[in-house]
Amino acid sequence: MPAATASQTIGPYWHLIEHAEWADLTRFGAEGERITVTGRVTDGEGAPVSDAAVEIWQSSPPADEHFPGYGRAATDGEGRFRFVTVKPEAVPGLGNQTQAPHLSVVLLARGLMTALRTRLYFEGEALNETDPLLAAIADPAERATLIARPAGSGSWTLDIRLQGEGETIFLEV
Amino acid sequence: MSDPVPFRPFQAGTQPPLDHAAYGSTRLRHPNRPLRRLAQTVSETTGPAFTRALFPEIADMTRQGKAAPLGERIIVAGRVTDEDGRPVPNTMIELWQANAAGRYAHPRDTHDAPADPNFPGEGRVFTDAEGHYRFVTIKPGAYPWRNHHNAWRPVHIHFSLFGSGFAQRLITQMYFPGDPLLEFDPIYHAVSDAGARERLVSRFDLDVTEPEWALGYRFDIVLRGRGATPFEDGEAH
């Protein structure tokens, strides 16, 4: 069998498939602790990435007809994105490990030949100390690029730096 | 609980690099640090399950306006499998493309070519139980971009696939056979493996073609396989 089909960039015109409501994962009537997640995507010169698709997937709470578990948001002219979702709980890791609550994040944009993957954790979670991914990142500054900070009631924020100073930890899965 | 079965790593050369100087937009957008390897957990091996009920199909992109769009009607069909040849059933495929004149229905597209109010350029289909999909559209036009002097994108249709786990997420582009612009396109040529690159080009298919109605093209898509590679390196996984 041939290898997996090659990725190609999503390009600047992916908004033809944008549906703004997809950024609200509670739109089908999900129960649970509703949160807002925001952030700003910037490039190697600190300029806003204004044409990106930011996608999230969470395996907790489990997806069902009231909760898709998946969302997509377009960045605006300032590079900002915004999701409304349900706060995830801890999820199983490999073996006997437990992973701290997190969102899987995929970034797609003009200039990205493949999807860029990262994660978003939540500051103050006790499990962050023992999460297998976070615990393996020795440098606290690098670890911090994966941990959203509280930004008011029920709101969390995490900026994504594609390149250079403060560069986000990106993942190969 | 036993560990989830992970998707296999990509084969060398079959995926484009993030840092690709010939494509200028990668310059400030590729990470400088190498990607950090993450062992796949349920967060990577599971993924969204879209349904036709909540995400209705747009299988005929020529019937989204008040009249037929301008251009050559075509049919695109194919099969989605994984690297082990197993069909990927009931998976959502998103599609988008330029109109026949090479212009997107997008406010940032300033190419001096006519807009077509009858062609919004969005499609959405699901694979059947055997992984087959099919949609009707018009053949898009080539268009210029500012990457380098006299740069033109080859004719293409954008595809977005989700598969059965988020690690299978794929965004790609389908090209057309015999397009002279492929030779000059840095996005197409970012895939160094010639076989992998050529599989981005659809094939004209008389079996997909409908008499007196529309030409048909076949484009098969392969998503990452799960588990150990059977014949690759002989090691136990």
Side-chain angles (χ1 to χ4, degrees), chain B residues 86-97:
Chain B
R86 286 187 281 254
V88 181
N90 307 313
T91 197
M92 186 169 82
I93 304 176
E94 298 175 284
L95 309 155
W96 72 104
Q97 64 170 82

Side-chain angles (χ1 to χ4, degrees), chain A residues 8 55 72 102 136 167, chain B residues 33 36 43 94 169 175:
Chain A
Q8 297 274 271
E55 299 186 329
R72 180 163 65 208
H102 65 273
E167 183 175 305
Chain B
R33 277 198 303 248
R36 191 178 187 96
S43 299
E94 298 175 284
R169 183 87 175 95
Y175 300 100

Side-chain angles (χ1 to χ4, degrees), chain B residues 31-83:
Chain B
N32 285 333
R33 277 198 303 248
L35 303 182
R36 191 178 187 96
R37 190 73 184 272
L38 175 71
Q40 293 172 33
T41 70
V42 287
S43 299
E44 290 73 38
T45 59
T46 62
F50 300 96
T51 62
R52 292 176 181 82
L54 293 177
F55 300 88
E57 288 195 314
I58 308 169
D60 188 341
M61 295 165 68
T62 72
R63 302 182 71 134
Q64 304 307 309
K66 289 186 175 128
L70 295 174
E72 176 193 347
R73 183 194 302 120
I74 61 169
I75 301 161
V76 179
R79 192 168 186 219
V80 184
T81 60
D82 70 14
E83 289 172 292

Side-chain angles (χ1 to χ4, degrees), chain A residues 1-17 19 22 27-28 43-45 48-51 55-57 59 65 68 70 72 75 91-95 99 102 104-106 108-114 116-117 119 133 136-138 142 145 162-164 167-173, chain B residues 1 3 10-11 14-18 23 25-33 35-44 46-48 50 54-55 81-85 92 94-97 104-106 108-109 120-122 124 158 162 166-167 169-173 175 187-188 190-191 199-200 221-222 224:
Chain A
M1 276 300 294
T5 300
S7 171
Q8 297 274 271
T9 182
I10 199 168
Y13 303 129
W14 70 270
H15 306 85
L16 267 58
I17 59 163
H19 298 276
W22 289 23
R27 68 191 184 280
F28 300 124
D43 71 11
E45 288 180 343
V49 174
S50 60
D51 53 10
E55 299 186 329
I56 59 172
W57 162 249
S59 55
E65 69 267 36
Y70 164 83
R72 180 163 65 208
T75 54
V91 297
L94 301 180
Q99 304 185 85
H102 65 273
S104 297
V105 178
V106 157
L108 301 153
R110 169 180 62 87
L112 294 182
M113 290 296 311
T114 63
L116 264 186
R117 296 168 180 277
R119 278 188 176 184
L133 172 61
I137 303 170
E142 290 188 13
T145 68
L162 296 184
Q163 186 189 81
E167 183 175 305
T168 295
I169 298 262
F170 293 105
L171 304 170
E172 178 186 351
V173 304
Chain B
M1 200 173 88
D3 290 339
F10 292 108
Q11 293 178 32
T14 63
Q15 297 292 323
L18 283 158
Y23 175 22
S25 290
T26 65
R27 188 173 67 88
L28 292 171
R29 293 186 168 194
H30 71 83
N32 285 333
R33 277 198 303 248
L35 303 182
R36 191 178 187 96
R37 190 73 184 272
L38 175 71
Q40 293 172 33
T41 70
V42 287
S43 299
E44 290 73 38
T46 62
F50 300 96
L54 293 177
F55 300 88
T81 60
D82 70 14
E83 289 172 292
D84 300 306
M92 186 169 82
E94 298 175 284
L95 309 155
W96 72 104
Q97 64 170 82
Y104 287 85
H106 191 290
R108 290 184 206 171
D109 187 350
E122 179 189 17
R124 184 190 297 148
H158 296 268
F162 291 86
F166 210 43
R169 183 87 175 95
L170 173 69
I171 301 282
T172 190
Q173 300 179 23
Y175 300 100
I187 293 178
Y188 174 66
V191 182
R199 281 191 293 111
L200 295 176
I221 298 164
V222 180
R224 298 169 73 177

